[in-house]
Amino acid sequence: MPLVSGQLPTTTAWRVVALLPAQGPVPLTWQIALLMARANKGDALALTLLDENSASGHQIQTADSVLDEAVLMARPTDSIERAVVQTTDPIKELTQLVKRLDADIVLISADHPLSNQISGLGCSIGILRSEPEFAKEVQEKGFRKIIIPASGGPNAPHAISLFKDTPASVDVEALYISRTDQGLNEEALGKERLLRVLKAADAEESVKSKV
């Protein structure tokens, strides 16, 4: 695992790892990672994995410039690290890093080359889809609202817990979508499920709900 740029965290903390591309604009993945780190009073690692057998000096420099841009997006109070790592087996390397760093969640964009191979990392995984224009808008104006679908499934409480202590400037809302043709019973069911999900996430006071 040649670490060719930056450094890996050495302290124990709540941690989100954002897997960033080796070129192009910084995706929304990183801004979500920063928001999560703030909400959980932890740190965020911007990580780029390069092929050890084929990465040129120019590719390393380009990957480094993407991480430079990511660092500039952070606030002075954010706890962040950045690293470019060369490897012959990116998924094995990522799995080992997650274990070594005791990471809580890994975030990756859906258009990242490794997004369809991510599984079994030993931590939560978030695969994000977004348009570059939206990432630019968020960078300029910040997040205004986070909506989390919550129909009562097992992932909903965990997703809510990740954002329940988000700064007050960002609204967090658990959403249940009911069928209009099911009448008031469906709406009542939605309210009951939302209440149960918020209680499971210990977020009854901090997260809004809507049916």
Side-chain angles (χ1 to χ4, degrees), residues 18-36:
L19 205 56
L20 300 188
Q23 60 183 353
V26 177
L28 188 67
T29 307
W30 177 238
Q31 295 174 63
I32 290 285
L34 291 175
L35 186 65
M36 279 187 177

Side-chain angles (χ1 to χ4, degrees), residues 55-123:
S56 64
H58 175 69
Q59 287 174 315
I60 293 172
Q61 187 177 19
T62 301
D64 213 25
S65 67
V66 173
L67 296 190
D68 284 341
E69 185 181 346
V71 169
L72 291 175
M73 292 180 175
R75 298 174 182 174
T77 53
D78 288 331
S79 178
I80 63 170
E81 296 285 0
R82 42 158 290 173
V84 177
V85 172
Q86 286 185 299
T87 177
T88 56
D89 189 336
I91 297 301
K92 181 179 178 181
E93 187 69 52
L94 183 59
T95 303
Q96 291 174 345
L97 277 173
V98 163
K99 184 177 180 179
R100 173 182 163 187
L101 300 175
D102 195 22
D104 292 87
I105 185 169
V106 171
L107 300 181
I108 185 171
S109 295
D111 58 359
H112 190 288
L114 296 178
S115 65
N116 61 351
Q117 302 175 47
I118 293 287
S119 65
L121 295 182
C123 72

Side-chain angles (χ1 to χ4, degrees), residues 14-20 26-40 43-45 70 73 78 80 105-109 125-130 134-135 138-139 142-148 159 162-163 166-167 170:
W14 188 96
R15 181 163 292 126
V16 52
V17 176
L19 205 56
L20 300 188
V26 177
L28 188 67
T29 307
W30 177 238
Q31 295 174 63
I32 290 285
L34 291 175
L35 186 65
M36 279 187 177
R38 292 169 197 150
N40 292 277
D43 64 37
L45 170 65
M73 292 180 175
D78 288 331
I80 63 170
I105 185 169
V106 171
L107 300 181
I108 185 171
S109 295
I125 299 170
I127 300 177
L128 284 75
R129 295 174 174 82
S130 71
F134 182 62
V138 169
Q139 179 57 25
F143 288 101
R144 295 187 295 274
K145 192 170 193 175
I146 302 289
I147 297 176
I148 302 171
L162 292 172
F163 291 100
T166 297
V170 181

